[in-house]
Amino acid sequence: MEDTTTINLRRVQYLEAFALIERIAAAGTAAWRAIPRLLAAIARRQERARARLELHRLSDHMLRDIGLERGQIDRLFH
């Protein structure tokens, strides 16, 4: 009787450890899949920052030609 209990206990411990490994693997896979989205978001943010900087570098005359005032530039990116 005691041997069966020990075997069942070991089986439960094995299954718990296996479930933990599965959860860790799933979390790692999810993190790995999120990396491209994170890199794309970073690239978009950098692109927007470059565009904002380019607009700030334009003269007031050029900004008026495209229909903007200097004070409107930052509001375009919010």
Side-chain angles (χ1 to χ4, degrees):
M1 185 75 144
E2 191 172 320
D3 291 332
T4 305
T5 304
T6 303
I7 291 172
N8 286 338
L9 181 61
R10 286 183 184 165
R11 184 178 299 150
V12 168
Q13 289 172 342
Y14 173 77
L15 293 175
E16 288 174 354
F18 185 75
L20 176 62
I21 291 169
E22 280 186 326
R23 287 193 299 270
I24 291 171
T29 301
W32 186 254
R33 289 182 179 164
I35 290 173
R37 289 190 304 270
L38 177 64
L39 293 176
I42 290 170
R44 284 191 305 271
R45 187 177 303 152
Q46 289 175 340
E47 186 177 324
R48 289 172 59 91
R50 278 192 301 272
R52 178 186 289 170
L53 183 61
E54 288 179 27
L55 285 173
H56 274 292
R57 288 180 177 165
L58 294 176
S59 68
D60 289 336
H61 178 75
M62 290 184 78
L63 286 172
R64 275 194 305 272
D65 284 349
I66 61 173
L68 285 176
E69 295 179 11
R70 191 157 301 280
Q72 294 174 316
I73 294 173
D74 289 330
R75 287 185 291 228
L76 291 173
F77 296 94
H78 288 258

